[in-house]
Amino acid sequence: MENFTELVLKSWQNIDGNVHTYQEILSWINDKIDQTAVSVEETQLSQSANWFFDKSKGTIHNQNNSFFSVVGVKKLVNDEIVAEQPMILQPEIGYLGIIVSEIDGVLYFLMQAKIEPGNINSVQISPTIQATKSNFTAKHGGKKPAYLEYFLNAKQHNVIYDQIQSEQSSRFYQKRNRNIIIKVDDDVEVLDSFRWMTLGQIKKMMDEDNLINMDTRTVLSGLPFVTDTLTNESNDWLKYFKDQSLGQSIFTSAPSDYLPKLFQKLNDFKMFKETQTHITSLLDIADWEVADSGISSQQKADFSVRQYQISIDGREITSWDQPLFVAEGIAELALLTRNHNGVREFLIKLQPEIGTLDSVEYRPTIQWETTKRGKPVDDVEKIYANQLSLNQGIIRKTLLSEEGGRFYHEQNLNVIMEVDDNAIQNLPDEYLWVNYSTLNYVIQVNNILNIQLRNLISMIDL
């Protein structure tokens, strides 16, 4: 039997597919987009039968106190308020899961054409299952998600990856989801909104704007390579790589060369930065105003909160209303990379965010919200901005969406950029160069890499 890592590499290399061609998958998803009837109309809180602003609690929530609520959050450093804003409070842990199976010697991923109210193009390619706990326990009164039983009974299958990871900590307050990949050996019925795809096909589709959703990207970032014991035969795996430095970064450059410094920086921050956050009333956060139309900042902000009436064919529930966070522009995320002595390295940065569960995680090199975009503040950001303006070193550059179940038409510019090995002479202390195997190692642990970084890692190609 083939080693699972080699199955992943073969699938990663395979764009033609022997179940569906790449063009067949694109035609299928485009047909889904054309055939899907979606209505998303902005409305008022007072027009909602289910959602309301509870002045006594200072929160927006529904009549059943289920799914999620919108609350105020304050962040303090050394007892001084440094940030305050509305956030989504959704303490339950949902499933983001992918079924994989070997078909005619090729590893395939069962992907879903899923409709979300906030999707910019209505339908995007999502994991096999993408469900909140309220969804899969059917609190909404609708049908349970397809393939749920495979994940509830995951121990009966081969669990490849299973970790609880953070969501967007600038919008969600301490929210996490269970990222899981299971390998199934028996035949799986393929429902109408699902297709088998190779890893190579999914990776190629990441060049298409707003096609692969962020939940797919975070799950795929966890595909494990460092859990395999390398043998002499493993050297043959380098033949799959166009970029030999990436192969070296995965298989021959050890995480142990980088982990002590990575954890030292992380733990110094947690130990010596006196940070705390607490939930408060929406009426008690400065510069924000609650009205029947939603929540808006009195200053220039990256987002507002609005109420929407939604009708979508083919969902567990076809008509409902809810708040959605609305971005006020396009954010920008970038991962800088270099070839350092034959090993591909990636530049990450410590990023404290208001909603982070344990105060800080590592983020990509660049993580600019709309109000910060194009305003470099250090040498690293200046080098990135200059190369971007000259279109230099661009490995990947795609507009991709944020989570469409809570965010309305929010998309980010995602960039992977190569810089010269010695381009950054004076690296600020909060940055760190690491190899791929280190990133892959720490993704097998929770709350170390933020979702923006995990999403960019999923875009790295052979």
Side-chain angles (χ1 to χ4, degrees):
M1 188 177 80
E2 273 188 299
N3 178 285
F4 182 77
T5 294
E6 188 157 17
L7 280 175
V8 172
L9 292 173
K10 284 185 174 180
S11 182
W12 192 346
Q13 188 185 52
N14 188 330
I15 295 172
D16 297 331
N18 57 352
V19 176
H20 301 287
T21 68
Y22 184 77
Q23 286 303 320
E24 285 172 345
I25 294 170
L26 285 185
S27 296
W28 168 72
I29 193 76
N30 287 328
D31 286 346
K32 287 287 182 187
I33 292 170
D34 292 341
Q35 296 164 8
T36 300
V38 179
S39 173
V40 182
E41 300 290 339
E42 189 171 339
T43 184
Q44 307 287 309
L45 261 174
S46 59
Q47 295 175 304
S48 174
N50 297 309
W51 291 83
F52 67 100
F53 176 51
D54 186 335
K55 290 185 179 179
S56 63
K57 294 181 179 179
T59 64
I60 293 175
H61 57 86
N62 64 22
Q63 300 287 353
N64 298 325
N65 250 336
S66 58
F67 295 104
F68 68 95
S69 56
V70 182
V71 301
V73 175
K74 292 178 183 279
K75 178 179 179 179
L76 294 84
V77 176
N78 298 324
D79 296 324
E80 180 181 347
I81 296 173
V82 296
E84 46 192 318
Q85 66 175 73
M87 299 201 80
I88 301 165
L89 180 64
Q90 188 176 0
E92 64 184 30
I93 294 172
Y95 271 123
L96 302 176
I98 296 177
I99 292 173
V100 301
S101 186
E102 192 175 345
I103 302 174
D104 296 332
V106 178
L107 190 69
Y108 276 87
F109 297 68
L110 187 61
M111 308 306 294
Q112 178 182 183
K114 187 169 178 64
I115 310 151
E116 293 285 7
N119 282 356
I120 200 162
N121 53 350
S122 71
V123 181
Q124 296 184 12
I125 292 175
S126 82
T128 316
I129 189 171
Q130 179 182 316
T132 65
K133 194 171 183 180
S134 296
N135 286 141
F136 67 76
T137 55
K139 281 189 178 180
H140 50 33
K143 298 178 294 184
K144 291 186 178 181
Y147 305 106
L148 174 64
E149 294 303 315
Y150 283 96
F151 296 93
L152 293 178
N153 300 303
K155 62 184 177 183
Q156 297 177 12
H157 306 286
N158 184 6
V159 177
I160 304 301
Y161 169 64
D162 189 353
Q163 193 51 256
I164 294 173
Q165 297 284 14
S166 58
E167 294 288 297
Q168 294 92 336
S169 297
S170 62
R171 304 285 194 274
F172 286 102
Y173 184 66
Q174 300 185 357
K175 175 76 174 81
R176 299 187 298 164
N177 275 322
R178 187 173 182 180
N179 291 222
I180 180 170
I181 301 171
I182 58 173
K183 186 173 183 289
V184 174
D185 294 326
D186 49 310
D187 289 338
V188 178
E189 180 187 5
V190 180
L191 302 175
D192 178 62
S193 292
F194 295 79
R195 288 289 186 273
W196 288 113
M197 304 178 193
T198 67
L199 183 57
Q201 289 172 333
I202 299 168
K203 293 268 190 179
K204 182 173 174 59
M205 280 184 273
M206 291 183 193
D207 284 328
E208 307 280 346
D209 287 351
N210 298 306
L211 182 56
I212 302 294
N213 82 356
M214 57 143 288
D215 297 303
T216 295
R217 301 190 319 263
T218 177
V219 176
L220 290 181
S221 74
L223 275 168
F225 294 101
V226 292
T227 54
D228 261 327
T229 301
L230 300 184
T231 64
N232 289 334
E233 290 76 25
S234 303
N235 291 328
D236 290 341
W237 295 347
L238 295 176
K239 69 187 178 187
Y240 295 104
F241 292 84
K242 296 175 187 174
D243 178 3
Q244 287 293 296
S245 68
L246 178 61
Q248 300 289 348
S249 187
I250 295 174
F251 295 118
T252 62
S253 178
S256 57
D257 295 336
Y258 300 84
L259 285 174
K261 185 173 285 189
L262 180 146
F263 282 113
Q264 180 262 323
K265 286 179 180 289
L266 188 75
N267 294 332
D268 268 358
F269 188 99
K270 292 179 180 181
M271 187 173 186
F272 298 116
K273 296 283 187 181
E274 298 292 333
T275 64
Q276 55 184 243
T277 58
H278 65 261
I279 295 170
T280 187
S281 167
L282 288 168
L283 297 172
D284 192 34
I285 51 176
D287 299 325
W288 290 86
E289 181 178 43
V290 182
D292 197 28
S293 59
I295 310 171
S296 301
S297 175
Q298 297 165 351
Q299 309 293 326
K300 187 172 176 60
D302 298 308
F303 67 91
S304 61
V305 183
R306 294 288 181 262
Q307 191 75 11
Y308 289 88
Q309 181 64 45
I310 300 155
S311 297
I312 300 178
D313 289 345
R315 293 270 302 197
E316 295 89 356
I317 292 291
T318 58
S319 182
W320 73 98
D321 71 290
Q322 68 172 82
L324 290 171
F325 277 51
V326 183
E328 299 299 331
I330 295 174
E332 193 163 333
L333 309 170
L335 187 60
L336 297 195
T337 180
R338 68 178 184 180
N339 183 332
H340 182 65
N341 298 328
V343 173
R344 183 147 302 283
E345 293 185 330
F346 303 89
L347 188 58
I348 61 177
K349 183 181 181 182
L350 273 181
Q351 175 71 33
E353 292 185 276
I354 188 169
T356 305
L357 179 66
D358 195 9
S359 75
V360 67
E361 294 179 327
Y362 281 99
R363 61 158 231 200
T365 322
I366 303 294
Q367 186 173 317
W368 286 340
E369 291 269 16
T370 306
T371 54
K372 301 291 191 295
R373 192 175 177 191
K375 300 174 183 176
V377 298
D378 60 30
D379 288 345
V380 173
E381 293 187 350
K382 289 173 184 175
I383 287 169
Y384 164 75
N386 181 59
Q387 286 201 188
L388 188 70
S389 69
L390 298 173
N391 204 33
Q392 280 184 358
I394 307 297
I395 296 173
R396 207 152 207 173
K397 181 181 175 184
T398 317
L399 278 175
L400 293 170
S401 295
E402 290 296 294
E403 205 274 321
R406 300 291 176 263
F407 307 142
Y408 182 75
H409 288 192
E410 182 163 351
Q411 54 184 339
N412 300 325
L413 179 66
N414 290 259
V415 179
I416 300 178
M417 175 187 287
E418 176 137 25
V419 297
D420 290 341
D421 188 12
N422 59 357
I424 304 168
Q425 294 294 322
N426 298 304
L427 191 66
D429 189 56
E430 62 270 24
Y431 291 92
L432 182 67
W433 285 107
V434 294
N435 61 0
Y436 189 101
S437 66
T438 299
L439 295 172
N440 193 244
Y441 182 94
V442 295
I443 288 178
Q444 312 307 311
V445 183
N446 60 39
N447 302 117
I448 295 177
L449 307 185
N450 77 2
I451 194 166
Q452 290 88 351
L453 177 51
R454 299 197 309 274
N455 276 203
L456 279 163
I457 289 168
S458 76
M459 296 176 69
I460 296 168
D461 216 346
L462 290 168

